[in-house]
Amino acid sequence: MKVAVIGGGINGVMTAWAFARSGEAVDLYEKGQLMSATSRSSSNWARARSNSSRLRAL
């Protein structure tokens, strides 16, 4: 399988790494410099919409 990951923040880089480590072909796309922007807003969005008290506590 060939995988495309859009976004070179921590979430995108780690997702691409996990796929590559499992043997998948991965293309990672980032409009700027890798790891130059924060993934805080995406993590906060996921946490706010989660029903898990464990995630909310993080």
Side-chain angles (χ1 to χ4, degrees), residues 5-45:
V5 178
I6 300 172
I10 188 65
N11 294 330
V13 168
M14 294 309 294
T15 299
W17 174 79
F19 276 114
R21 186 173 169 164
S22 70
E24 306 299 340
V26 181
D27 288 328
L28 177 61
Y29 297 93
E30 169 59 43
K31 68 179 178 178
Q33 184 177 2
L34 284 178
M35 303 296 288
S36 64
T38 182
S39 295
R40 181 179 64 191
S41 60
S42 62
S43 297
N44 286 342
W45 180 87

